[in-house]
Amino acid sequence: MENSILDSYRILSGKCLNFLLDGNYCLLENGYPYECEQYVEFDKEKILFNGDYYDELFFMPVKKSNPSDFNNQFILIDYSFNPTSFNENERYSGYLRIIPIRDHLEVFNVQ
């Protein structure tokens, strides 16, 4: 990551999350590339992702050779901010950070 201060915005919290990586992202914790639809859940005080347990997930957009092609976004699928609101998809640019807190996951957009 570059030597700059990044802003972090809490988006939501919950026990599980479906999200779509619209573009190429790299997971900092294992170095693997990811795209398309993904699923995480809170389990045993950690994040369960693709059969492995993590203390944190940090998805970084991967820049392409042409800077004008750098428009990676992640989309949170069918979530609601509270039980009375309707489910919707929400699109964000930047990094996606997920951490376990007590008995749930906290989701952040980092820019």
Side-chain angles (χ1 to χ4, degrees):
M1 230 179 320
E2 298 149 6
N3 291 333
S4 63
I5 297 174
L6 299 175
D7 291 324
S8 181
Y9 304 95
R10 182 176 168 271
I11 301 171
L12 64 102
S13 63
K15 295 279 189 183
C16 59
L17 174 68
N18 283 317
F19 58 98
L20 174 68
L21 298 173
D22 188 11
N24 297 315
Y25 278 77
C26 178
L27 180 59
L28 184 64
E29 285 72 20
N30 65 16
Y32 294 151
Y34 291 92
E35 59 184 337
C36 303
E37 190 167 344
Q38 307 295 328
Y39 176 79
V40 296
E41 66 180 89
F42 180 85
D43 187 43
K44 300 177 186 173
E45 299 182 1
K46 294 198 179 264
I47 303 166
L48 179 59
F49 175 64
N50 284 347
D52 293 317
Y53 287 92
Y54 295 90
D55 292 321
E56 175 180 16
L57 294 177
F58 196 89
F59 290 93
M60 303 180 309
V62 176
K63 294 181 182 179
K64 299 183 180 182
S65 58
N66 182 354
S68 65
D69 289 341
F70 185 56
N71 59 357
N72 298 3
Q73 297 182 328
F74 61 91
I75 303 166
L76 304 179
I77 301 173
D78 290 332
Y79 77 93
S80 61
F81 284 108
N82 62 59
T84 61
S85 68
F86 60 92
N87 288 357
E88 61 183 57
N89 296 344
E90 190 67 38
R91 182 178 293 267
Y92 297 89
S93 296
Y95 303 88
L96 171 61
R97 181 178 182 216
I98 305 170
I99 56 173
I101 304 286
R102 292 185 293 279
D103 64 347
H104 63 277
L105 300 175
E106 295 277 332
V107 181
F108 297 86
N109 178 212
V110 181
Q111 300 192 358

